[in-house]
């Protein structure tokens, strides 16, 4: 694939490859700026009203803090971003907007591969913001992932996988390259991590971890053996990745 690069930051993804396209990138340089996200400044009242509705429907939700991108650009050096620390409630309001303008949600996606050629994902618990959805163990970038004003996506991947599955990414073989894709204003940056365990062994390991995990976010683990989009209630960000993975096999 020939990528069209831009040296200009943008509040939308019009300069990126089309949605649901997986493409390689050279790296990621994600700066976190001081102050409030412009989305939050412009929509405080609407964000607060929506949050009241969200927690009325799901009291388990917590208004924590996450890194929410303001602008991105795609160049030969990879994806660069300018972001702010924002409340989770702002993200929840943003994702309910039909056009999803004013922010970009970027997250790192560790893609777990088994020794027998399957992918292993998790199913989210009923009390979470994405109940029942299946996707790779991951989470939004958070303030603890920011080092010297920039996001450490590798640290985020290790932490999220350890918390949700008990698996240690340092014990996996890291696949070559960093890849990206986007759907409806959400950008995923992903790498492959191959474990010396079969898919069934990984699923059993995660099941045992669930019994002792402090945070009961997940409802189970899932082995993915084909690109069938109807095999599981996949989060939409999963679909281009499983298409890409199994097409390569």
């Amino acid at each position: 694939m020939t990528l069209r690069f831009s040296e200009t930051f943008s509040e939308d993804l019009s300069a990126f490859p089309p949605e649901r396209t997986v493409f390689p990138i050279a790296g990621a340089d994600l700066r976190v700026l001081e102050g409030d996200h412009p989305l939050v400044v412009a929509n405080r009242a609407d964000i607060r009203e929506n949050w009241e509705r969200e927690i009325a429907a799901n009291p388990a939700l917590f208004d924590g803090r996450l890194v929410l991108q303001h602008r991105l650009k795609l160049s030969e050096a990879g994806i660069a971003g300018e972001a702010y620390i924002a409340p989770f409630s702002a993200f929840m309001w943003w994702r309910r907007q039909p056009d999803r303008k004013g922010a970009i949600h970027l997250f790192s996606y560790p893609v777990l591969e088994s020794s027998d050629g399957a992918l292993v994902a998790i199913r989210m618990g009923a009390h979470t913001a994405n109940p029942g959805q299946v996707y790779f163990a991951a989470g939004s970038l958070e303030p603890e992932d920011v080092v010297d004003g920039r996001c450490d996506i590798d640290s985020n991947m290790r932490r999220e996988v350890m918390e949700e599955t008990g698996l240690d990414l340092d014990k996996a073989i890291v696949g070559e390259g960093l890849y990206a894709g986007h759907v409806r204003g959400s950008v995923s940056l992903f790498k492959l991590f191959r474990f010396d365990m079969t898919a069934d062994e990984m699923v059993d390991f995660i099941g045992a971890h669930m019994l002792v995990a402090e945070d009961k976010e997940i409802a189970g683990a899932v082995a993915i053996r084909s690109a069938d989009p109807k095999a599981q209630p996949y989060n939409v960000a999963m679909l281009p990745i499983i298409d890409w993975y199994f097409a390569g096999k």
Side-chain angles (χ1 to χ4, degrees), residues 214-236:
E214 293 183 9
D215 195 341
K216 308 294 185 182
E217 284 193 343
I218 74 171
V222 173
I224 303 171
R225 304 185 188 276
S226 78
D228 179 3
K230 297 181 180 178
Q232 300 288 343
Y234 291 120
N235 179 278
V236 67

Side-chain angles (χ1 to χ4, degrees), residues 46-242:
D46 290 339
I47 291 169
R48 184 168 54 251
E49 290 175 6
N50 181 71
W51 183 245
E52 292 299 324
R53 292 191 291 269
E54 297 282 0
I55 59 175
N58 185 355
L61 294 177
F62 172 67
D63 196 12
R65 311 284 282 178
L66 78 163
V67 178
L68 189 59
Q69 300 297 318
H70 176 44
R71 304 189 305 170
L72 295 178
K73 69 177 179 181
L74 176 64
S75 71
E76 291 183 354
I79 290 178
E82 294 178 344
Y84 296 86
I85 302 297
F88 181 67
S89 54
F91 165 71
M92 292 292 284
W93 176 84
W94 169 84
R95 78 173 193 170
R96 289 194 178 277
Q97 306 314 301
D99 55 10
R100 291 191 171 183
K101 291 183 178 180
I104 301 167
H105 182 230
L106 181 148
F107 59 98
S108 57
Y109 229 6
V111 179
L112 308 186
E113 182 184 16
S114 69
S115 61
D116 53 349
L119 300 178
V120 175
I122 57 171
R123 189 186 311 277
M124 296 305 293
H127 62 289
T128 64
N130 297 306
Q133 290 189 16
V134 169
Y135 51 82
F136 299 117
S140 296
L141 294 164
E142 298 179 2
E144 63 189 285
D145 300 314
V146 180
V147 180
D148 296 330
R150 283 174 162 79
C151 293
D152 184 339
I153 63 171
D154 291 322
S155 174
N156 172 268
M157 289 184 185
R158 287 193 299 271
R159 175 173 55 80
E160 291 289 346
V161 170
M162 178 61 73
E163 288 178 358
E164 296 184 358
T165 71
L167 292 166
D168 185 351
L169 291 186
D170 289 337
K171 296 181 179 178
I173 298 173
V174 185
E176 293 185 6
L178 177 64
Y179 297 87
H182 67 100
V183 179
R184 295 199 63 212
S186 288
V187 177
S188 56
L189 306 182
F190 71 93
K191 295 180 181 181
L192 280 169
F193 294 87
R194 184 180 179 87
F195 283 85
D196 187 21
M197 303 168 66
T198 67
D200 288 343
E201 288 171 339
M202 292 176 70
V203 168
D204 289 344
F205 183 94
I206 295 170
H209 173 74
M210 288 171 55
L211 300 176
V212 298
E214 293 183 9
D215 195 341
K216 308 294 185 182
E217 284 193 343
I218 74 171
V222 173
I224 303 171
R225 304 185 188 276
S226 78
D228 179 3
K230 297 181 180 178
Q232 300 288 343
Y234 291 120
N235 179 278
V236 67
M238 290 282 290
L239 299 179
I241 298 175
I242 61 176

